[in-house]
Amino acid sequence: MKPTIKMIEDLSLNAWPSHQIQLYDGWLLRFSYFYTHRTNCVEQIGPSSIPIEEKINFCEDAYHRWGTPSIFKITPLLPDDFEKRLIDRRYAVQHVTEVMTLDLAPWQITIPPVSVRLERTINDRWIQSLFALKSTTSAIHRQIVPSMYHAIPKDTLAASITNSDGQIVAIGLGILDRSYMGIYAIHVHPHYRGRQYARSICTSLLNRGKELGMTGAYLQVVEGNTPAKRLYLSLGFEDFYSYHFRVKELF
Protein backbone atom coordinates (compact mmCIF):
# COMPACT_ATOMS: atom_id res chain seq x y z
CA MET A 1 0.00 0.00 0.00
CA LYS A 2 2.71 2.50 0.98
CA PRO A 3 4.58 2.28 -2.36
CA THR A 4 1.36 3.20 -4.18
CA ILE A 5 0.71 6.07 -1.76
CA LYS A 6 4.26 7.30 -2.38
CA MET A 7 3.69 7.15 -6.13
CA ILE A 8 0.44 9.13 -5.92
CA GLU A 9 2.09 11.69 -3.67
CA ASP A 10 4.85 12.07 -6.27
CA LEU A 11 2.27 12.41 -9.05
CA SER A 12 0.38 15.08 -7.15
CA LEU A 13 3.58 17.06 -6.58
CA ASN A 14 4.19 17.02 -10.34
CA ALA A 15 0.58 17.96 -10.97
CA TRP A 16 0.49 21.09 -8.84
CA PRO A 17 3.71 23.14 -8.72
CA SER A 18 4.08 25.91 -6.17
CA HIS A 19 5.09 29.49 -6.90
CA GLN A 20 8.30 28.88 -4.93
CA ILE A 21 9.88 25.63 -3.71
CA GLN A 22 12.84 25.30 -1.35
CA LEU A 23 14.55 21.95 -0.74
CA TYR A 24 15.82 21.46 2.80
CA ASP A 25 17.33 18.13 3.90
CA GLY A 26 14.66 15.93 2.29
CA TRP A 27 11.81 18.37 2.94
CA LEU A 28 10.11 20.62 0.40
CA LEU A 29 9.02 24.05 1.61
CA ARG A 30 6.28 25.14 -0.78
CA PHE A 31 5.01 28.72 -0.98
CA SER A 32 2.31 30.34 -3.12
CA TYR A 33 1.00 33.25 -1.06
CA PHE A 34 -1.43 30.89 0.69
CA TYR A 35 -3.38 30.11 -2.50
CA THR A 36 -4.04 26.55 -1.27
CA HIS A 37 -2.80 24.48 1.64
CA ARG A 38 -1.08 22.03 -0.73
CA THR A 39 1.00 24.75 -2.38
CA ASN A 40 1.92 26.38 0.95
CA CYS A 41 3.17 23.57 3.13
CA VAL A 42 6.12 21.41 4.08
CA GLU A 43 6.19 18.01 2.36
CA GLN A 44 8.65 15.31 3.34
CA ILE A 45 10.04 13.46 0.34
CA GLY A 46 13.27 12.04 1.73
CA PRO A 47 15.12 11.03 4.93
CA SER A 48 16.48 13.58 7.40
CA SER A 49 20.06 14.05 8.52
CA ILE A 50 19.43 17.22 10.55
CA PRO A 51 17.63 16.88 13.94
CA ILE A 52 13.84 17.14 13.46
CA GLU A 53 13.26 19.95 15.97
CA GLU A 54 15.95 22.02 14.28
CA LYS A 55 14.25 21.44 10.93
CA ILE A 56 10.83 22.44 12.25
CA ASN A 57 12.35 25.65 13.64
CA PHE A 58 13.87 26.36 10.23
CA CYS A 59 10.52 25.87 8.52
CA GLU A 60 8.68 28.08 10.99
CA ASP A 61 11.21 30.86 10.43
CA ALA A 62 10.92 30.51 6.65
CA TYR A 63 7.13 30.77 6.61
CA HIS A 64 7.25 33.64 9.08
CA ARG A 65 9.43 35.54 6.61
CA TRP A 66 6.93 34.70 3.87
CA GLY A 67 4.15 36.13 6.03
CA THR A 68 2.05 32.94 6.23
CA PRO A 69 1.42 30.31 8.90
CA SER A 70 3.71 27.31 9.07
CA ILE A 71 1.89 24.28 7.62
CA PHE A 72 2.91 20.61 7.47
CA LYS A 73 1.24 18.01 5.27
CA ILE A 74 0.59 14.81 7.23
CA THR A 75 0.34 11.62 5.15
CA PRO A 76 0.43 7.91 6.09
CA LEU A 77 4.06 7.88 4.93
CA LEU A 78 5.34 9.93 7.86
CA PRO A 79 6.82 8.45 11.06
CA ASP A 80 4.19 7.86 13.73
CA ASP A 81 5.82 10.22 16.21
CA PHE A 82 6.19 13.19 13.88
CA GLU A 83 2.66 14.50 14.29
CA LYS A 84 2.98 14.45 18.07
CA ARG A 85 5.91 16.84 17.76
CA LEU A 86 3.62 19.27 15.96
CA ILE A 87 0.81 18.82 18.48
CA ASP A 88 3.25 19.69 21.25
CA ARG A 89 4.11 22.85 19.34
CA ARG A 90 0.43 23.88 19.06
CA TYR A 91 -0.26 22.85 15.51
CA ALA A 92 -3.96 22.32 14.77
CA VAL A 93 -5.57 20.15 12.09
CA GLN A 94 -7.02 21.92 9.07
CA HIS A 95 -8.32 20.74 5.72
CA VAL A 96 -8.59 16.93 5.68
CA THR A 97 -8.36 15.53 2.13
CA GLU A 98 -9.46 12.11 0.92
CA VAL A 99 -7.58 10.48 -1.96
CA MET A 100 -9.62 8.20 -4.22
CA THR A 101 -8.46 5.89 -7.00
CA LEU A 102 -10.03 4.16 -9.99
CA ASP A 103 -8.86 1.15 -11.99
CA LEU A 104 -9.31 2.15 -15.63
CA ALA A 105 -8.99 -1.42 -16.97
CA PRO A 106 -12.74 -2.13 -16.70
CA TRP A 107 -13.77 1.45 -17.51
CA GLN A 108 -16.29 1.53 -20.35
CA ILE A 109 -16.10 4.57 -22.62
CA THR A 110 -19.52 6.22 -22.71
CA ILE A 111 -20.90 9.45 -24.12
CA PRO A 112 -21.15 12.05 -21.33
CA PRO A 113 -24.58 13.58 -20.59
CA VAL A 114 -23.35 17.04 -21.71
CA SER A 115 -20.88 17.91 -24.46
CA VAL A 116 -17.39 18.70 -23.14
CA ARG A 117 -14.50 20.43 -24.88
CA LEU A 118 -11.04 18.96 -24.23
CA GLU A 119 -7.85 20.85 -25.03
CA ARG A 120 -4.26 19.71 -24.62
CA THR A 121 -3.11 23.09 -23.28
CA ILE A 122 -4.23 25.20 -20.33
CA ASN A 123 -5.01 28.51 -22.00
CA ASP A 124 -5.73 31.90 -20.47
CA ARG A 125 -9.47 31.60 -21.07
CA TRP A 126 -9.60 28.40 -19.01
CA ILE A 127 -7.62 30.02 -16.19
CA GLN A 128 -9.78 33.14 -16.17
CA SER A 129 -12.84 30.90 -16.02
CA LEU A 130 -11.26 29.12 -13.05
CA PHE A 131 -10.92 32.47 -11.27
CA ALA A 132 -14.54 33.34 -12.04
CA LEU A 133 -15.91 29.99 -10.88
CA LYS A 134 -13.84 30.11 -7.67
CA SER A 135 -14.55 33.83 -7.13
CA THR A 136 -10.81 34.48 -6.92
CA THR A 137 -10.33 38.22 -6.34
CA SER A 138 -6.85 38.35 -4.74
CA ALA A 139 -4.57 40.37 -7.01
CA ILE A 140 -1.48 38.37 -6.07
CA HIS A 141 -3.25 35.05 -6.71
CA ARG A 142 -4.51 36.23 -10.08
CA GLN A 143 -0.91 37.20 -10.88
CA ILE A 144 0.93 34.03 -9.81
CA VAL A 145 -1.57 31.21 -10.40
CA PRO A 146 -1.41 31.28 -14.22
CA SER A 147 2.35 30.64 -14.07
CA MET A 148 1.73 27.74 -11.66
CA TYR A 149 -0.62 26.06 -14.13
CA HIS A 150 1.69 26.78 -17.06
CA ALA A 151 4.57 25.21 -15.07
CA ILE A 152 2.90 21.78 -14.85
CA PRO A 153 5.56 19.52 -16.41
CA LYS A 154 3.19 16.77 -17.55
CA ASP A 155 0.66 16.41 -20.38
CA THR A 156 -2.67 18.00 -19.55
CA LEU A 157 -6.29 17.89 -20.67
CA ALA A 158 -8.24 21.08 -19.95
CA ALA A 159 -11.97 20.35 -19.95
CA SER A 160 -14.74 22.93 -20.22
CA ILE A 161 -18.48 23.26 -20.83
CA THR A 162 -19.97 26.45 -22.25
CA ASN A 163 -23.51 27.80 -22.12
CA SER A 164 -25.53 29.12 -25.05
CA ASP A 165 -23.79 32.50 -24.74
CA GLY A 166 -20.34 30.92 -25.07
CA GLN A 167 -19.46 31.47 -21.41
CA ILE A 168 -17.52 28.69 -19.69
CA VAL A 169 -19.69 27.43 -16.83
CA ALA A 170 -17.85 24.25 -15.83
CA ILE A 171 -14.21 23.16 -15.95
CA GLY A 172 -11.92 20.31 -15.00
CA LEU A 173 -8.32 19.27 -15.53
CA GLY A 174 -6.70 15.94 -16.27
CA ILE A 175 -2.97 15.50 -15.74
CA LEU A 176 -1.21 12.50 -17.26
CA ASP A 177 1.79 11.07 -15.43
CA ARG A 178 3.27 7.59 -15.80
CA SER A 179 0.18 5.40 -16.30
CA TYR A 180 -2.18 7.51 -14.18
CA MET A 181 -4.54 10.38 -14.81
CA GLY A 182 -5.01 12.84 -11.96
CA ILE A 183 -8.32 14.71 -12.02
CA TYR A 184 -8.22 18.23 -10.64
CA ALA A 185 -10.07 21.56 -10.56
CA ILE A 186 -13.65 20.38 -11.03
CA HIS A 187 -15.76 23.52 -10.73
CA VAL A 188 -19.32 24.25 -11.88
CA HIS A 189 -21.10 27.60 -11.83
CA PRO A 190 -23.76 27.57 -9.06
CA HIS A 191 -26.56 28.26 -11.58
CA TYR A 192 -25.62 25.12 -13.53
CA ARG A 193 -25.25 22.62 -10.72
CA GLY A 194 -27.51 19.59 -10.71
CA ARG A 195 -27.31 19.25 -14.51
CA GLN A 196 -24.63 16.52 -14.61
CA TYR A 197 -21.95 18.97 -15.74
CA ALA A 198 -19.38 17.68 -13.24
CA ARG A 199 -20.21 14.08 -14.22
CA SER A 200 -19.75 14.99 -17.88
CA ILE A 201 -16.37 16.63 -17.20
CA CYS A 202 -15.10 13.59 -15.27
CA THR A 203 -16.48 11.11 -17.80
CA SER A 204 -14.85 12.92 -20.70
CA LEU A 205 -11.49 13.03 -18.92
CA LEU A 206 -11.64 9.35 -17.98
CA ASN A 207 -12.68 8.41 -21.53
CA ARG A 208 -9.68 10.22 -22.99
CA GLY A 209 -7.37 8.81 -20.35
CA LYS A 210 -8.50 5.30 -21.25
CA GLU A 211 -7.96 6.04 -24.96
CA LEU A 212 -4.45 7.29 -24.22
CA GLY A 213 -3.50 4.10 -22.41
CA MET A 214 -3.81 5.20 -18.79
CA THR A 215 -4.40 2.27 -16.45
CA GLY A 216 -5.57 4.19 -13.37
CA ALA A 217 -6.93 7.50 -12.16
CA TYR A 218 -6.83 9.36 -8.87
CA LEU A 219 -8.40 12.48 -7.42
CA GLN A 220 -8.56 14.35 -4.15
CA VAL A 221 -11.70 15.56 -2.42
CA VAL A 222 -12.01 17.66 0.72
CA GLU A 223 -13.61 15.77 3.60
CA GLY A 224 -17.23 16.82 3.96
CA ASN A 225 -17.80 17.65 0.29
CA THR A 226 -20.68 15.18 0.11
CA PRO A 227 -21.98 15.97 -3.41
CA ALA A 228 -18.52 15.55 -4.95
CA LYS A 229 -17.84 12.37 -2.98
CA ARG A 230 -21.17 10.91 -4.09
CA LEU A 231 -20.33 11.67 -7.73
CA TYR A 232 -16.87 10.10 -7.55
CA LEU A 233 -18.20 6.96 -5.87
CA SER A 234 -20.84 6.61 -8.58
CA LEU A 235 -18.09 6.77 -11.22
CA GLY A 236 -16.31 3.86 -9.56
CA PHE A 237 -13.66 5.67 -7.52
CA GLU A 238 -12.79 4.06 -4.19
CA ASP A 239 -11.33 5.51 -0.99
CA PHE A 240 -7.61 4.83 -0.74
CA TYR A 241 -6.07 7.04 1.94
CA SER A 242 -6.37 10.49 3.45
CA TYR A 243 -4.03 13.24 4.52
CA HIS A 244 -4.42 16.46 6.45
CA PHE A 245 -2.56 19.63 7.28
CA ARG A 246 -1.37 20.84 10.64
CA VAL A 247 -1.13 24.60 10.91
CA LYS A 248 0.80 26.55 13.51
CA GLU A 249 -1.70 28.17 15.85
CA LEU A 250 -0.99 31.82 16.59
CA PHE A 251 -1.47 32.98 20.18
Side-chain angles (χ1 to χ4, degrees):
M1 182 175 178
K2 284 194 173 183
T4 305
I5 293 175
K6 178 64 169 65
M7 180 188 68
I8 291 177
E9 287 295 301
D10 288 351
L11 301 182
S12 65
L13 274 172
N14 287 338
W16 196 206
S18 293
H19 177 63
Q20 294 182 35
I21 297 178
Q22 181 179 165
L23 178 62
Y24 174 56
D25 189 43
W27 291 8
L28 290 180
L29 282 67
R30 308 180 70 193
F31 174 66
S32 300
Y33 294 95
F34 212 56
Y35 180 63
T36 65
H37 282 67
R38 281 192 295 124
T39 58
N40 289 269
C41 69
V42 180
E43 295 203 37
Q44 302 183 33
I45 63 170
S48 294
S49 59
I50 299 172
I52 298 299
E53 293 297 328
E54 180 179 337
K55 292 181 70 172
I56 295 175
N57 289 336
F58 178 93
C59 295
E60 290 181 354
D61 289 343
Y63 283 97
H64 178 74
R65 290 194 300 273
W66 279 326
T68 63
S70 176
I71 304 175
F72 285 80
K73 183 178 178 181
I74 307 299
T75 75
L77 301 174
L78 299 188
D80 294 337
D81 66 339
F82 179 77
E83 190 166 16
K84 185 180 184 305
R85 294 175 183 268
L86 298 182
I87 294 171
D88 292 343
R89 298 171 72 116
R90 294 182 172 178
Y91 279 75
V93 173
Q94 286 187 8
H95 200 76
V96 179
T97 299
E98 301 173 13
V99 179
M100 307 179 73
T101 57
L102 172 69
D103 180 5
L104 277 176
W107 176 261
Q108 297 295 317
I109 294 178
T110 57
I111 299 175
V114 180
S115 178
V116 176
R117 179 181 178 86
L118 293 180
E119 300 175 274
R120 296 303 296 263
T121 59
I122 304 172
N123 58 40
D124 289 339
R125 183 173 183 235
W126 189 94
I127 293 174
Q128 293 306 314
S129 298
L130 169 73
F131 289 152
L133 293 171
K134 291 188 65 176
S135 300
T136 301
T137 58
S138 166
I140 188 63
H141 290 165
R142 293 178 73 94
Q143 178 183 343
I144 68 167
V145 169
S147 64
M148 292 162 61
Y149 275 98
H150 293 317
I152 295 172
K154 299 298 179 177
D155 290 338
T156 58
L157 292 169
S160 61
I161 297 175
T162 56
N163 62 12
S164 58
D165 296 326
Q167 176 189 4
I168 293 179
V169 294
I171 62 169
L173 183 64
I175 301 176
L176 311 177
D177 194 351
R178 304 186 200 181
S179 60
Y180 273 74
M181 167 181 280
I183 294 181
Y184 291 87
I186 305 294
H187 297 286
V188 179
H189 191 285
H191 293 167
Y192 292 86
R193 291 173 185 166
R195 303 188 189 187
Q196 300 194 77
Y197 282 21
R199 176 177 295 276
S200 297
I201 292 280
C202 292
T203 299
S204 295
L205 290 171
L206 292 170
N207 285 347
R208 186 61 58 86
K210 174 83 171 186
E211 293 169 349
L212 293 172
M214 300 295 104
T215 60
Y218 72 94
L219 54 79
Q220 302 172 74
V221 58
V222 176
E223 184 181 65
N225 188 346
T226 303
K229 185 72 177 289
R230 187 183 302 120
L231 167 63
Y232 301 144
L233 287 170
S234 72
L235 290 168
F237 281 89
E238 297 179 346
D239 292 321
F240 187 41
Y241 69 98
S242 65
Y243 64 81
H244 59 273
F245 298 91
R246 280 204 174 266
V247 181
K248 179 74 171 181
E249 292 183 338
L250 303 178
F251 292 88

